[in-house]
Amino acid sequence: MALQSDYEKAQIRNMVQRAVKCASEGTTEMTPEVYRLPIEIYSPTRWEEEMNAIYRRLPLMLALSCELRGNGAYKAMKVLDVPVLIVRGDDGRVRAFVNTCTHRGRALTQTPDEKGQCKNFTCPYHAWRFSTDGKLQSVSDPRKFGEVDKSALGLRELPCEERAGFVWVCITPGQTFDIEEYLGGMLEELACLEADKWYLLGSQQLESGNWKIAHDGYLESYHIPFLHRHTLHPMWKRETLTSVSLYDHYGPLPYGPHQRMAGNAWGYDPALMLKMKDVPESEYTEHHFHAVRTLFPHISISAGRNGGLVSQLFPITADRCITVQNHVSTQNPDDMTEAEKQTTQKRIELYAAVVRDEDYSTSFSIQEGVRSGGIQELLFGRNEGGAQNFHRSVEHYVQAHRKSQANA
Ligand code: FES
């Protein structure tokens, strides 16, 4: 599939020039210095601080637009301790609410992680009914219940924005955000994906250690020829054991916080990158420009216009994080042949196995290492610029939160 927009053409030209330069010099894009992180930043106290400074304050990408296809489509989920209900209203607008009935607090869905389609929500406890825009429509047996002001008993709304096929929500009521300012140039990157045309083929959940340890693996290609030596490495037909990655960042901070790690679709292999210089510009395809885009603080998008993999990281405790892997495609699963469905299922299982058995099993091992007393700090090399930017961003938001708490 040919790349189309002028923006994309400019990106691929730029990427090929940078990749070929790195590959021919036998190097990759590098930061000025090695970055060091003290192991204390993995403590439970620090985790609490990160949740308050980051997950409870910043917009989180909680849903793909394709999960909310059609008016009345909804998705319930829990983020930290907050039950969230996201729904597309009769006016086509996506809104988010705290999933808590204003009578006595029960969730409006049968289960905390339910998806479905409805005309309104009826609380399972005493059957109060709410519209998809959060208004209280009816109180059961109202004459016996007594006088209440229904207009003041709507669901508690959460800040929510839908853009470019993705839905952002802040899980703290009353907190505001400007999604354009927060994403900066990443919005244009996301627009290239045309994610509003995707379908969700399947999702699954994987468990890892600390959220930052899990996140690091999405931000460098240095580990690919080693950790994935027997899985992705042969599949991508790589010719070398080194990697070239190109890092760009977007957003309000000097280092992001959103990032694009680019290479080619053959596992960031410099030998294969060198061959790109012989490809005429008119023949560039997605294979010549593969990018993993990360949306701070918790999303990795390894996808092109045809779809791919969108991973969402949800911390549970300092030592535990759940990743939801979403496989997306422009192909409607209802139109797939049996053979296509089987191929899709195999791909879903392969990516779950690689991440679970290789990346996330490594995250548990790192966590033990951090607690072992064997090391005092973790090192992020000059070739691991994405992870460096991620940790600088975490630090920025923690420090900003500390300052605002001190001034409160
Ligand atoms: S708690 Fe919802 S109707 Fe009573």
Side-chain angles (χ1 to χ4, degrees):
M1 182 177 177
L3 293 164
Q4 287 166 358
S5 74
D6 288 345
Y7 174 81
E8 282 171 289
K9 283 178 189 157
Q11 294 302 307
I12 179 88
R13 267 197 306 274
N14 173 280
M15 195 285 294
V16 169
Q17 283 164 5
R18 287 159 62 189
V20 169
K21 181 171 184 293
C22 285
S24 46
E25 290 170 358
T27 184
T28 184
E29 291 196 340
M30 290 157 73
T31 61
E33 54 192 20
V34 173
Y35 186 71
R36 295 162 189 275
L37 269 184
I39 55 167
E40 288 75 33
I41 63 146
Y42 295 99
S43 71
T45 316
R46 167 69 182 217
W47 181 84
E48 281 289 348
E49 214 175 8
E50 289 167 354
M51 294 306 103
N52 291 335
I54 296 170
Y55 270 78
R56 292 186 196 279
R57 291 179 81 83
L58 298 179
L60 305 173
M61 200 291 282
L62 294 189
L64 300 161
S65 293
C66 61
E67 291 180 276
L68 300 162
R69 201 179 286 281
N71 296 355
Y74 70 90
K75 174 183 184 180
M77 61 197 302
K78 235 173 120 180
V79 184
L80 297 176
D81 53 355
V82 182
V84 178
L85 180 61
I86 309 170
V87 54
R88 191 178 295 282
D90 292 341
D91 54 0
R93 197 181 131 201
V94 176
R95 296 176 180 83
F97 304 97
V98 182
N99 188 8
T100 301
C101 175
T102 51
H103 173 213
R104 287 231 298 280
R106 199 217 187 269
L108 296 174
T109 46
Q110 292 290 349
T111 61
D113 56 356
E114 190 175 296
K115 284 185 191 175
Q117 200 94 23
C118 68
K119 291 207 177 313
N120 45 49
F121 295 100
T122 303
C123 179
Y125 201 179
H126 311 93
W128 283 25
R129 205 171 64 219
F130 295 84
S131 60
T132 51
D133 62 359
K135 293 191 177 69
L136 175 59
Q137 288 181 318
S138 65
V139 169
S140 311
D141 219 350
R143 279 186 306 147
K144 290 183 190 156
F145 188 82
E147 196 71 14
V148 286
D149 178 5
K150 282 199 300 203
S151 68
L153 287 169
L155 298 177
R156 188 78 198 263
E157 192 157 356
L158 296 168
C160 176
E161 288 278 353
E162 181 180 32
R163 294 291 166 91
F166 301 89
V167 177
W168 282 265
V169 176
C170 178
I171 62 168
T172 302
Q175 190 78 28
T176 55
F177 64 82
D178 178 335
I179 198 64
E180 286 177 12
E181 188 193 334
Y182 182 59
L183 292 175
M186 179 52 79
L187 204 47
E188 198 164 15
E189 283 287 310
L190 295 179
C192 296
L193 298 174
E194 298 183 348
D196 50 344
K197 296 187 180 142
W198 288 347
Y199 290 86
L200 183 62
L201 302 181
S203 297
Q204 55 194 336
Q205 299 194 0
L206 305 172
E207 190 170 337
S208 72
N210 179 281
W211 74 285
K212 292 181 297 185
I213 296 174
H215 204 300
D216 287 337
Y218 295 97
L219 284 164
E220 45 93 353
S221 62
Y222 183 31
H223 71 281
I224 289 172
F226 310 109
L227 187 66
H228 304 309
R229 180 182 292 251
H230 302 296
T231 50
L232 302 181
H233 190 260
M235 198 171 89
W236 285 337
K237 300 185 173 54
R238 288 176 59 116
E239 294 180 9
T240 53
L241 287 178
T242 61
S243 282
V244 171
S245 287
L246 312 171
Y247 292 107
D248 292 282
H249 51 77
Y250 311 84
L253 306 182
Y255 26 77
H258 317 293
Q259 301 194 66
R260 184 184 71 189
M261 181 177 79
N264 54 23
W266 304 291
Y268 306 88
D269 187 331
L272 295 169
M273 279 184 187
L274 268 181
K275 294 179 186 171
M276 291 197 293
K277 69 174 189 266
D278 303 323
V279 180
E281 236 175 77
S282 58
E283 291 175 21
Y284 289 157
T285 70
E286 284 198 337
H287 280 298
H288 300 103
F289 181 51
H290 178 73
V292 175
R293 295 170 178 90
T294 55
L295 307 179
F296 192 83
H298 71 140
I299 303 295
S300 165
I301 305 171
S302 178
R305 192 181 272 118
N306 288 339
L309 181 62
V310 179
S311 305
Q312 300 167 292
L313 276 65
F314 295 106
I316 306 296
T317 65
D319 295 346
R320 202 170 152 239
C321 181
I322 297 291
T323 295
V324 181
Q325 282 191 331
N326 301 289
H327 291 264
V328 291
S329 168
T330 44
Q331 194 177 11
N332 185 339
D334 293 341
D335 299 336
M336 280 184 175
T337 63
E338 227 17 75
E340 285 170 334
K341 281 182 188 162
Q342 279 174 19
T343 307
T344 300
Q345 192 50 37
K346 273 193 191 145
R347 193 172 62 241
I348 291 174
E349 284 163 16
L350 171 74
Y351 276 93
V354 168
V355 174
R356 183 186 57 235
D357 301 340
E358 297 177 0
D359 294 285
Y360 287 177
S361 125
T362 295
S363 79
F364 289 117
S365 172
I366 291 172
Q367 205 155 269
E368 278 178 19
V370 161
R371 286 207 210 97
S372 68
I375 49 170
Q376 293 310 310
E377 57 186 15
L378 301 184
L379 305 180
F380 293 86
R382 296 180 61 197
N383 56 344
E384 299 179 285
Q388 291 195 5
N389 284 338
F390 168 67
H391 288 285
R392 283 195 177 96
S393 301
V394 171
E395 194 55 31
H396 166 87
Y397 287 109
V398 168
Q399 292 301 337
H401 184 60
R402 279 182 193 168
K403 217 179 265 179
S404 76
Q405 294 294 98
N407 294 337

PDB file of all heavy atoms in Angstrom, residues 101-106 108 123-128 130, ligand 1:
ATOM      1  N   CYS A 101     -23.693   4.667  40.022  1.00  0.00           N
ATOM      2  CA  CYS A 101     -25.072   5.140  40.100  1.00  0.00           C
ATOM      3  C   CYS A 101     -25.213   6.184  41.207  1.00  0.00           C
ATOM      4  O   CYS A 101     -24.647   6.026  42.298  1.00  0.00           O
ATOM      5  CB  CYS A 101     -25.977   3.947  40.377  1.00  0.00           C
ATOM      6  SG  CYS A 101     -27.687   4.396  40.634  1.00  0.00           S
ATOM      7  N   THR A 102     -25.970   7.226  40.910  1.00  0.00           N
ATOM      8  CA  THR A 102     -26.082   8.312  41.886  1.00  0.00           C
ATOM      9  C   THR A 102     -27.114   8.021  42.982  1.00  0.00           C
ATOM     10  O   THR A 102     -27.354   8.866  43.838  1.00  0.00           O
ATOM     11  CB  THR A 102     -26.417   9.646  41.174  1.00  0.00           C
ATOM     12  OG1 THR A 102     -27.540   9.429  40.319  1.00  0.00           O
ATOM     13  CG2 THR A 102     -25.243  10.152  40.374  1.00  0.00           C
ATOM     14  N   HIS A 103     -27.736   6.838  42.952  1.00  0.00           N
ATOM     15  CA  HIS A 103     -28.603   6.454  44.080  1.00  0.00           C
ATOM     16  C   HIS A 103     -27.722   5.958  45.229  1.00  0.00           C
ATOM     17  O   HIS A 103     -27.518   6.644  46.206  1.00  0.00           O
ATOM     18  CB  HIS A 103     -29.608   5.374  43.638  1.00  0.00           C
ATOM     19  CG  HIS A 103     -30.411   4.804  44.784  1.00  0.00           C
ATOM     20  ND1 HIS A 103     -30.831   3.504  44.805  1.00  0.00           N
ATOM     21  CD2 HIS A 103     -30.850   5.373  45.937  1.00  0.00           C
ATOM     22  CE1 HIS A 103     -31.511   3.286  45.928  1.00  0.00           C
ATOM     23  NE2 HIS A 103     -31.542   4.412  46.626  1.00  0.00           N
ATOM     24  N   ARG A 104     -27.127   4.768  45.071  1.00  0.00           N
ATOM     25  CA  ARG A 104     -26.293   4.285  46.172  1.00  0.00           C
ATOM     26  C   ARG A 104     -24.974   3.699  45.687  1.00  0.00           C
ATOM     27  O   ARG A 104     -24.347   2.921  46.394  1.00  0.00           O
ATOM     28  CB  ARG A 104     -27.068   3.262  47.001  1.00  0.00           C
ATOM     29  CG  ARG A 104     -28.160   3.934  47.850  1.00  0.00           C
ATOM     30  CD  ARG A 104     -28.094   3.528  49.306  1.00  0.00           C
ATOM     31  NE  ARG A 104     -28.298   2.106  49.489  1.00  0.00           N
ATOM     32  CZ  ARG A 104     -29.499   1.508  49.492  1.00  0.00           C
ATOM     33  NH1 ARG A 104     -30.581   2.218  49.300  1.00  0.00           N
ATOM     34  NH2 ARG A 104     -29.596   0.217  49.692  1.00  0.00           N
ATOM     35  N   GLY A 105     -24.563   4.091  44.485  1.00  0.00           N
ATOM     36  CA  GLY A 105     -23.173   3.849  44.104  1.00  0.00           C
ATOM     37  C   GLY A 105     -22.845   2.572  43.370  1.00  0.00           C
ATOM     38  O   GLY A 105     -21.680   2.301  43.101  1.00  0.00           O
ATOM     39  N   ARG A 106     -23.841   1.789  42.983  1.00  0.00           N
ATOM     40  CA  ARG A 106     -23.478   0.574  42.240  1.00  0.00           C
ATOM     41  C   ARG A 106     -23.042   0.921  40.823  1.00  0.00           C
ATOM     42  O   ARG A 106     -23.494   1.921  40.261  1.00  0.00           O
ATOM     43  CB  ARG A 106     -24.704  -0.365  42.172  1.00  0.00           C
ATOM     44  CG  ARG A 106     -24.276  -1.813  41.832  1.00  0.00           C
ATOM     45  CD  ARG A 106     -25.249  -2.524  40.940  1.00  0.00           C
ATOM     46  NE  ARG A 106     -24.902  -3.943  40.777  1.00  0.00           N
ATOM     47  CZ  ARG A 106     -24.120  -4.384  39.793  1.00  0.00           C
ATOM     48  NH1 ARG A 106     -23.544  -3.561  38.945  1.00  0.00           N
ATOM     49  NH2 ARG A 106     -23.886  -5.678  39.671  1.00  0.00           N
ATOM     50  N   LEU A 108     -23.151   0.763  36.876  1.00  0.00           N
ATOM     51  CA  LEU A 108     -24.341   0.614  36.036  1.00  0.00           C
ATOM     52  C   LEU A 108     -24.271  -0.606  35.131  1.00  0.00           C
ATOM     53  O   LEU A 108     -25.279  -1.021  34.563  1.00  0.00           O
ATOM     54  CB  LEU A 108     -24.521   1.864  35.176  1.00  0.00           C
ATOM     55  CG  LEU A 108     -24.802   3.121  35.991  1.00  0.00           C
ATOM     56  CD1 LEU A 108     -24.823   4.335  35.103  1.00  0.00           C
ATOM     57  CD2 LEU A 108     -26.117   2.987  36.734  1.00  0.00           C
ATOM     58  N   CYS A 123     -29.621   0.702  36.214  1.00  0.00           N
ATOM     59  CA  CYS A 123     -28.796   0.195  37.316  1.00  0.00           C
ATOM     60  C   CYS A 123     -29.344  -1.158  37.782  1.00  0.00           C
ATOM     61  O   CYS A 123     -30.549  -1.288  38.040  1.00  0.00           O
ATOM     62  CB  CYS A 123     -28.793   1.197  38.457  1.00  0.00           C
ATOM     63  SG  CYS A 123     -27.819   0.631  39.853  1.00  0.00           S
ATOM     64  N   PRO A 124     -28.474  -2.167  37.924  1.00  0.00           N
ATOM     65  CA  PRO A 124     -28.950  -3.498  38.321  1.00  0.00           C
ATOM     66  C   PRO A 124     -29.532  -3.539  39.738  1.00  0.00           C
ATOM     67  O   PRO A 124     -30.276  -4.455  40.071  1.00  0.00           O
ATOM     68  CB  PRO A 124     -27.689  -4.371  38.248  1.00  0.00           C
ATOM     69  CG  PRO A 124     -26.728  -3.620  37.396  1.00  0.00           C
ATOM     70  CD  PRO A 124     -27.031  -2.165  37.613  1.00  0.00           C
ATOM     71  N   TYR A 125     -29.236  -2.537  40.593  1.00  0.00           N
ATOM     72  CA  TYR A 125     -29.658  -2.622  42.003  1.00  0.00           C
ATOM     73  C   TYR A 125     -31.132  -2.242  42.188  1.00  0.00           C
ATOM     74  O   TYR A 125     -31.946  -3.057  42.606  1.00  0.00           O
ATOM     75  CB  TYR A 125     -28.734  -1.721  42.827  1.00  0.00           C
ATOM     76  CG  TYR A 125     -28.655  -2.025  44.311  1.00  0.00           C
ATOM     77  CD1 TYR A 125     -27.816  -1.269  45.127  1.00  0.00           C
ATOM     78  CD2 TYR A 125     -29.402  -3.048  44.898  1.00  0.00           C
ATOM     79  CE1 TYR A 125     -27.723  -1.529  46.494  1.00  0.00           C
ATOM     80  CE2 TYR A 125     -29.317  -3.313  46.251  1.00  0.00           C
ATOM     81  CZ  TYR A 125     -28.478  -2.553  47.046  1.00  0.00           C
ATOM     82  OH  TYR A 125     -28.378  -2.802  48.398  1.00  0.00           O
ATOM     83  N   HIS A 126     -31.523  -0.994  41.853  1.00  0.00           N
ATOM     84  CA  HIS A 126     -32.923  -0.585  42.038  1.00  0.00           C
ATOM     85  C   HIS A 126     -33.511  -0.002  40.754  1.00  0.00           C
ATOM     86  O   HIS A 126     -34.515   0.718  40.791  1.00  0.00           O
ATOM     87  CB  HIS A 126     -33.052   0.477  43.144  1.00  0.00           C
ATOM     88  CG  HIS A 126     -32.349   0.126  44.417  1.00  0.00           C
ATOM     89  ND1 HIS A 126     -31.053   0.517  44.686  1.00  0.00           N
ATOM     90  CD2 HIS A 126     -32.751  -0.607  45.484  1.00  0.00           C
ATOM     91  CE1 HIS A 126     -30.687   0.063  45.876  1.00  0.00           C
ATOM     92  NE2 HIS A 126     -31.693  -0.628  46.381  1.00  0.00           N
ATOM     93  N   ALA A 127     -32.796  -0.262  39.648  1.00  0.00           N
ATOM     94  CA  ALA A 127     -33.318   0.067  38.307  1.00  0.00           C
ATOM     95  C   ALA A 127     -33.523   1.556  38.026  1.00  0.00           C
ATOM     96  O   ALA A 127     -34.413   1.927  37.268  1.00  0.00           O
ATOM     97  CB  ALA A 127     -34.601  -0.718  38.034  1.00  0.00           C
ATOM     98  N   TRP A 128     -32.716   2.421  38.612  1.00  0.00           N
ATOM     99  CA  TRP A 128     -32.725   3.811  38.143  1.00  0.00           C
ATOM    100  C   TRP A 128     -32.167   3.795  36.714  1.00  0.00           C
ATOM    101  O   TRP A 128     -31.231   3.024  36.414  1.00  0.00           O
ATOM    102  CB  TRP A 128     -31.842   4.708  39.034  1.00  0.00           C
ATOM    103  CG  TRP A 128     -32.481   5.079  40.345  1.00  0.00           C
ATOM    104  CD1 TRP A 128     -33.445   4.399  41.024  1.00  0.00           C
ATOM    105  CD2 TRP A 128     -32.151   6.237  41.123  1.00  0.00           C
ATOM    106  NE1 TRP A 128     -33.755   5.049  42.183  1.00  0.00           N
ATOM    107  CE2 TRP A 128     -32.982   6.185  42.282  1.00  0.00           C
ATOM    108  CE3 TRP A 128     -31.279   7.303  40.978  1.00  0.00           C
ATOM    109  CZ2 TRP A 128     -32.928   7.169  43.269  1.00  0.00           C
ATOM    110  CZ3 TRP A 128     -31.229   8.277  41.962  1.00  0.00           C
ATOM    111  CH2 TRP A 128     -32.058   8.215  43.104  1.00  0.00           C
ATOM    112  N   PHE A 130     -30.512   5.779  33.334  1.00  0.00           N
ATOM    113  CA  PHE A 130     -29.709   6.927  32.889  1.00  0.00           C
ATOM    114  C   PHE A 130     -29.597   6.900  31.363  1.00  0.00           C
ATOM    115  O   PHE A 130     -29.450   5.837  30.750  1.00  0.00           O
ATOM    116  CB  PHE A 130     -28.290   6.848  33.480  1.00  0.00           C
ATOM    117  CG  PHE A 130     -28.275   6.969  34.982  1.00  0.00           C
ATOM    118  CD1 PHE A 130     -28.497   5.854  35.787  1.00  0.00           C
ATOM    119  CD2 PHE A 130     -28.055   8.201  35.596  1.00  0.00           C
ATOM    120  CE1 PHE A 130     -28.491   5.960  37.172  1.00  0.00           C
ATOM    121  CE2 PHE A 130     -28.050   8.316  36.983  1.00  0.00           C
ATOM    122  CZ  PHE A 130     -28.270   7.190  37.779  1.00  0.00           C
TER     123      PHE A 130
HETATM  124  S1  FES B   1     -27.738   1.880  43.427  1.00  0.00           S
HETATM  125 FE1  FES B   1     -28.423   2.236  41.476  1.00  0.00          FE
HETATM  126  S2  FES B   1     -30.551   2.240  41.579  1.00  0.00           S
HETATM  127 FE2  FES B   1     -29.903   1.905  43.595  1.00  0.00          FE
END
